[in-house]
Amino acid sequence: MIEKTELNRGWTLSCNVAGKPDLPATIPASVPGCVHLDLLASRLIPDPYIDVNEITNDWIGREDWTYHCSFEAEPDEAKVQELVFEGLDTIATIVLNGEEIGRTFNMHRTYRFDVSALLRNGGNELSVTFRSAYAYGEEMEAHYGYRPNNYPGPGNLMRKMACNFGWDWGPTLVTSGIWKPVRLESWNRARLAETRVSATLAGGDGLVTIVAQLARADAAVAYTLTAEIGGVRQSIEVAAGMDEASFEVRVPSPQIWWPHHLGAQPLYPLRLEMRDSVSNDLLDEYSREIGFRSVRLDTSADEHGSAFTFVINDVPLFLCGANWIPDDCFPSRVTAERYASRIDEAKAANINLLRVWGGGIFERDEFYEACDRAGMLVWQDFLFACASYPEEEPLRSEVEAEVRDNVVRLMPHASLIVWNGNNENIWGFDEWGWRPIIKDGTSWGLGYYLDVLPKLCAELDPDRPYYPGSPYSGTMEIEPNADAHGCKHIWDVWNDVGYEVYRNYIPRFCSEFGWQAPPNWATLEESVHDAPLTPVSNGVFHHQKATQGNDKLIRGLAGHLPEPQTMDDWHFATQLNQARAIRFAVEHMRSHRNICKGAVVWQFNDCWPVTSWAALDSAGRRKPLWYAMQKAFDPRLLTIQPRAAGLAAVAVNERTLFWRAKISGKRMRLDGTVLAQFEFWRLLCDRFEAEEFPLPKDIATADAASDEVIVVDMLDRRAFHYFVEDIELRLPAPRLAVEVSRSADGCDVRVTAESFLKDLCLMADRLDPAAAVDSMLVTLLPGESHVFKVKTAQAISYKDITVGKILRSANDLVQTA
């Protein structure tokens, strides 16, 4: 059996600049980790997430650094002994006992070095020296020539997390270090060098395909591979001299794995053993948890253009998704528990797909394992984003090795449903002015997306779809960001125009669209210490990375909400506007379910405290957007949408059962006076369907637009429609009554409306930074009540629930204006 010795203790770090001021000769180091975290732990740098400290850390990425450790391991002629590095960031030279054993150039690969002949009695000295990514980037630009890049730094010239060099939501923190585990492995005779496992459905049975490649120390020995799953055990002989074997295991009538909104997530333990065929000694083993499901991507032509529909277990689905970025600028800091917590938050927001975006990393195994358990579908980008990439050596070989490593590692996961070639690179070539820069014959990445990647996916993982890019129309003959074909990104909304323009688009699948807002108040106060805090104070402004981001926040309020005059109002108004923008877009797209089959919001999470497009800020606090997504992605959605003949109530049903209920509605004044009403005995919306109900004219037509609202109810779902935006709406001053009572894990805050209250929010983190609230964006008619459930360890009284600070609503903003 393979012996594994983790090398995670006794490491030190040193800067390779003689006499570097203020740095000791050696610094205690953590592995896994990175230089920034080691310097931070020794209090040698300020926290780069606080205030404008980021810029004081720029020098770190421009220096070379060496990690060193000593370990005990004796030479053994009977064994192969290998050093295994799961992740080195990025340009590294590895030396063992004074001998260079290898150089690495890829953050996203595992490297393995045979050190059998180099180990010595009495202790071994291991060092890993990391070269500055900036210095290597300059060398590579001289080698390849210039390639357009939409963001700073040479991330497109090497295989390193691109957003390390800065993005429009992320800081420039160019890391180096041993960011994943390192160990010594000792084995004899043979080991499993590569194990490819795919699982799908074949009729009513589960089918597991296993392809195993062996690394041999003895070519004359035969081995037996035995797989066991779901009570089925199957073996195959690997003859002497052979180094690859493949076989299938059929599991009769397994329980099927489903996305969380449709069914359960049964996982079957798979165990693969390799034994010596003569002695029966166990030499190596492999284990995973397997879910049985089928997946395909329908891109067939239809009357609207061409489809982009994911079909899971033969069910065409509308996917309610969000984009996932690295959850920390220092990925080694993200624990399995943090992954699980974030995925649980996504699931609670009714998200059923996370798109792992191509400017980050292939996440660690714990992420995908948590998605398997949670029923969270995963769209995985290959790591190419917003730039042109050379296709020449040495980058090409690194790309191929990286893809092989990660496809093999991730392909067993039931949650993973698609490989995507790149983020916005084909679009960039077509529309961002790259063509005049990239001259005829100059490579820019297209060969990866249309040739290298699909061939590797077909070879390694043929049961899972591959798509060349996002956005991409399915062919180079059609503009890449077309409405009628493939997947689309919508970014003129936010960048140039207001969110009302979302209704101009009915994409086949929208894989990016978003709107910005600051993080929650407690997160802002924890990370920025400006006195006073203002939208343009130094710290707040530094934590806004988008070009003209603050200007766009204000411009985006135009026509919707009044321009705020105080920091409190700026914070709430921009958060509210973000929530409304995304809910507006999602409900529009879902109402056209017959054409559009997915809405993937940019973005779910943050990597540091920042004004961004995220729904969950870097501290894990829910922004109002999170609650808007929970409502808009509700599997049973009721919304009011404009149609050619007038307004219609649209019921959208993503549940497995039909939805049949009385639908009723009224047009009323904001003071509660009912002006017209209707009732329809039963509206039927079948599963996976959107059903329209045209509103009667006396409901859909206002007498006094600035003082009226339409309210439609279907069972416990409710939809509102306003004839004008808030800036013209005669919202009354908020009048309400508050009662507070203790609960098992905090308190219940009952709010009773004495006037019409629009988008009422309880800002729990302003009561207690550790508090969380179950609901937000609640609209109440006069006389109605709502209970906010607050989780907090603090004692809260009704006197703490102040209107205009803790309780916010659109009424506040309009009245202040």
Side-chain angles (χ1 to χ4, degrees):
M1 188 62 180
I2 294 180
E3 299 173 12
K4 298 180 181 181
T5 304
E6 297 295 329
L7 303 181
N8 56 8
R9 295 182 180 180
W11 287 90
T12 60
L13 172 70
S14 59
C15 183
N16 294 3
V17 177
K20 180 70 179 174
D22 303 323
L23 286 185
T26 59
I27 301 161
S30 294
V31 170
C34 71
V35 171
H36 287 77
L37 293 180
D38 294 330
L39 295 176
L40 190 61
S42 291
R43 300 176 65 183
L44 295 170
I45 59 171
D47 188 335
Y49 287 9
I50 304 300
D51 298 322
V52 298
N53 293 348
E54 173 202 343
I55 63 175
T56 71
N57 292 306
D58 281 351
W59 62 275
I60 298 170
R62 300 186 180 278
E63 304 297 344
D64 296 350
W65 300 86
T66 296
Y67 282 80
H68 177 270
C69 83
S70 303
F71 66 95
E72 299 289 332
E74 296 182 356
D76 186 338
E77 292 183 357
K79 293 182 178 180
V80 177
Q81 303 202 70
E82 296 174 316
L83 274 174
V84 181
F85 295 88
E86 289 189 17
L88 293 169
D89 177 16
T90 294
I91 314 304
T93 301
I94 302 123
V95 174
L96 178 64
N97 295 329
E99 297 279 342
E100 182 180 312
I101 62 171
R103 298 191 177 198
T104 74
F105 301 89
N106 194 324
M107 180 181 181
H108 311 298
R109 287 182 59 185
T110 294
Y111 289 92
R112 182 181 290 267
F113 303 99
D114 187 341
V115 295
S116 306
L118 294 177
L119 295 176
R120 64 191 186 193
N121 294 314
N124 299 275
E125 303 298 321
L126 176 62
S127 67
V128 184
T129 297
F130 291 94
R131 188 179 177 197
S132 163
Y134 283 114
Y136 180 75
E138 290 177 4
E139 184 179 300
M140 288 299 99
E141 184 165 344
H143 173 72
Y144 297 121
Y146 172 73
R147 296 295 196 286
N149 186 347
N150 209 37
Y151 289 91
N156 58 328
L157 305 180
M158 66 187 72
R159 301 311 297 154
K160 177 174 173 58
M161 184 167 77
C163 60
N164 244 193
F165 295 95
W167 221 262
D168 53 8
W169 38 258
T172 301
L173 294 168
V174 180
T175 54
S176 296
I178 305 171
W179 77 285
K180 285 186 174 182
V182 55
R183 62 185 173 272
L184 181 70
E185 292 190 358
S186 302
W187 54 276
N188 60 21
R189 287 174 275 184
R191 66 175 177 84
L192 294 169
E194 179 181 284
T195 306
R196 305 203 302 267
V197 174
S198 65
T200 188
L201 294 171
D205 293 343
L207 188 65
V208 181
T209 303
I210 300 170
V211 180
Q213 291 186 355
L214 278 56
R216 285 178 172 270
D218 187 342
V221 178
Y223 302 104
T224 302
L225 296 177
T226 302
E228 186 170 2
I229 182 172
V232 178
R233 185 179 177 89
Q234 189 166 323
S235 298
I236 187 172
E237 190 87 0
V238 185
M242 300 295 291
D243 61 5
E244 181 172 303
S246 62
F247 60 108
E248 294 180 344
V249 182
R250 186 174 287 264
V251 179
S253 304
Q255 297 180 58
I256 296 176
W257 186 98
W258 289 96
H260 66 81
H261 69 298
L262 295 180
Q265 295 78 48
L267 295 171
Y268 290 78
L270 167 69
R271 180 179 171 86
L272 177 68
E273 294 182 343
M274 182 175 72
R275 293 181 179 269
D276 186 307
S277 294
V278 176
S279 68
N280 202 38
D281 291 342
L282 178 63
L283 302 179
D284 202 355
E285 62 183 1
Y286 171 99
S287 61
R288 290 290 187 276
E289 288 194 316
I290 301 299
F292 290 103
R293 58 98 187 94
S294 65
V295 58
R296 61 186 172 87
L297 177 59
D298 178 10
T299 58
S300 60
D302 60 20
E303 67 271 28
H304 304 292
S306 57
F308 194 93
T309 305
F310 287 96
V311 182
I312 310 295
N313 301 329
D314 292 325
V315 179
L317 297 181
F318 184 104
L319 295 184
C320 299
N323 283 267
W324 172 275
I325 66 169
D327 203 54
D328 202 305
C329 298
F330 310 121
S332 62
R333 212 159 48 171
V334 182
T335 63
E337 292 75 19
R338 185 158 146 190
Y339 276 135
S341 174
R342 296 290 192 262
I343 291 161
D344 285 346
E345 286 283 357
K347 184 175 177 179
N350 290 317
I351 292 166
N352 56 34
L353 173 115
L354 290 172
R355 176 191 171 211
V356 181
W357 167 78
I361 58 175
F362 297 102
E363 296 291 343
R364 297 200 315 277
D365 292 345
E366 296 95 325
F367 173 86
Y368 304 92
E369 291 165 359
C371 288
D372 288 346
R373 293 191 298 269
M376 182 64 64
L377 300 173
V378 176
W379 161 322
Q380 178 68 58
D381 280 9
F382 288 111
L383 303 184
F384 304 90
C386 300
S388 55
Y389 288 78
E391 297 171 36
E392 293 77 28
E393 295 296 348
L395 199 67
R396 187 183 187 91
S397 291
E398 288 295 339
V399 166
E400 291 177 354
E402 166 193 320
V403 169
R404 179 174 287 276
D405 258 20
N406 287 285
V407 169
V408 169
R409 177 171 70 93
L410 300 180
M411 60 186 286
H413 291 286
S415 56
L416 179 58
I417 61 168
V418 67
W419 299 107
N420 175 58
N422 75 89
N423 176 76
E424 298 190 343
N425 296 347
I426 298 173
W427 189 25
F429 177 77
D430 194 63
E431 295 188 20
W432 295 357
W434 294 1
R435 288 179 185 270
I437 301 170
I438 300 173
K439 299 177 174 58
D440 290 344
T442 301
S443 66
W444 56 273
L446 189 64
Y448 294 138
Y449 319 136
L450 299 186
D451 182 44
V452 173
L453 300 180
K455 284 180 178 176
L456 282 168
C457 288
E459 173 200 345
L460 301 170
D461 190 19
D463 293 330
R464 186 175 278 110
Y466 167 83
Y467 198 72
S470 181
Y472 186 60
S473 60
T475 171
M476 293 298 289
E477 304 304 313
I478 300 174
E479 61 177 312
N481 204 29
D483 277 10
H485 306 273
C487 51
K488 183 179 180 66
H489 292 191
I490 300 176
W491 281 117
D492 60 333
V493 180
W494 164 252
N495 279 317
D496 303 310
V497 294
Y499 67 75
E500 64 278 0
V501 177
Y502 280 128
R503 279 200 179 130
N504 293 357
Y505 301 107
I506 307 177
R508 305 313 306 265
F509 190 104
C510 193
S511 43
E512 275 192 28
F513 62 103
W515 199 272
Q516 266 203 352
N520 278 10
W521 190 267
T523 304
L524 195 60
E525 284 195 324
E526 289 165 359
S527 57
V528 177
H529 303 105
D530 300 341
L533 285 174
T534 76
V536 293
S537 60
N538 289 335
V540 176
F541 188 73
H542 183 75
H543 288 248
Q544 162 62 281
K545 294 297 185 179
T547 302
Q548 294 184 314
N550 278 3
D551 294 339
K552 292 174 184 177
L553 286 173
I554 296 301
R555 187 180 67 206
L557 296 172
H560 300 287
L561 289 165
E563 185 170 338
Q565 302 302 310
T566 68
M567 181 63 181
D568 277 358
D569 282 356
W570 175 85
H571 185 264
F572 176 63
T574 54
Q575 283 200 331
L576 176 60
N577 210 43
Q578 178 191 42
R580 288 182 174 180
I582 297 308
R583 186 173 181 181
F584 180 95
V586 170
E587 292 191 4
H588 161 68
M589 292 180 204
R590 290 189 65 191
S591 79
H592 291 282
R593 192 193 185 283
N594 62 319
I595 300 173
C596 179
K597 287 299 194 292
V600 185
V601 175
W602 185 271
Q603 66 209 64
F604 181 66
N605 58 325
D606 269 331
C607 62
W608 80 311
V610 63
T611 296
S612 83
W613 296 263
L616 203 69
D617 73 21
S618 63
R621 296 184 175 106
R622 299 170 175 178
K623 292 160 67 171
L625 171 59
W626 186 95
Y627 301 89
M629 290 167 64
Q630 185 186 51
K631 293 172 184 286
F633 283 151
D634 188 335
R636 285 186 169 168
L637 170 70
L638 184 65
T639 181
I640 300 172
Q641 297 290 324
R643 292 295 187 255
L647 294 176
V650 185
V652 187
N653 184 14
E654 301 299 335
R655 291 293 191 200
T656 59
L657 302 176
F658 64 81
W659 183 18
R660 184 179 62 190
K662 180 179 74 173
I663 185 170
S664 61
K666 54 193 173 187
R667 177 170 56 89
M668 56 180 286
R669 294 197 187 103
L670 298 181
D671 66 6
T673 303
V674 175
L675 303 171
Q677 54 190 333
F678 78 92
E679 185 175 292
F680 183 73
W681 178 236
R682 282 187 176 178
L683 180 66
L684 174 62
C685 183
D686 207 351
R687 62 184 174 213
F688 313 128
E689 191 174 85
E691 184 68 29
E692 296 183 4
F693 180 84
L695 295 182
K697 286 188 177 180
D698 63 342
I699 298 291
T701 306
D703 296 326
S706 63
D707 190 35
E708 295 180 15
V709 60
I710 298 172
V711 185
V712 176
D713 293 291
M714 185 173 174
L715 279 180
D716 56 349
R717 302 301 194 269
R718 173 175 278 187
F720 293 90
H721 174 80
Y722 304 90
F723 297 96
V724 296
E725 293 293 328
D726 285 9
I727 201 166
E728 299 176 35
L729 194 61
R730 293 173 57 190
L731 286 173
R735 291 184 290 109
L736 50 89
V738 175
E739 300 172 57
V740 178
S741 58
R742 296 296 299 271
S743 65
D745 54 1
C747 65
D748 290 346
V749 180
R750 175 180 291 275
V751 178
T752 301
E754 296 171 359
S755 65
F756 186 91
L757 298 176
K758 185 176 182 184
D759 286 332
L760 184 65
C761 300
L762 191 151
M763 316 308 280
D765 65 301
R766 300 197 72 165
L767 282 171
D768 166 16
V773 66
D774 70 319
S775 53
M776 270 199 195
L777 304 169
V778 177
T779 295
L780 295 176
L781 307 182
E784 291 184 335
S785 297
H786 178 79
V787 176
F788 293 97
K789 296 184 176 297
V790 182
K791 289 185 178 181
T792 177
Q794 291 190 12
I796 305 296
S797 80
Y798 77 93
K799 293 180 181 179
D800 299 314
I801 311 298
T802 54
V803 175
K805 181 178 179 181
I806 305 303
L807 279 178
R808 298 300 317 250
S809 65
N811 304 54
D812 303 341
L813 299 172
V814 172
Q815 286 296 312
T816 300

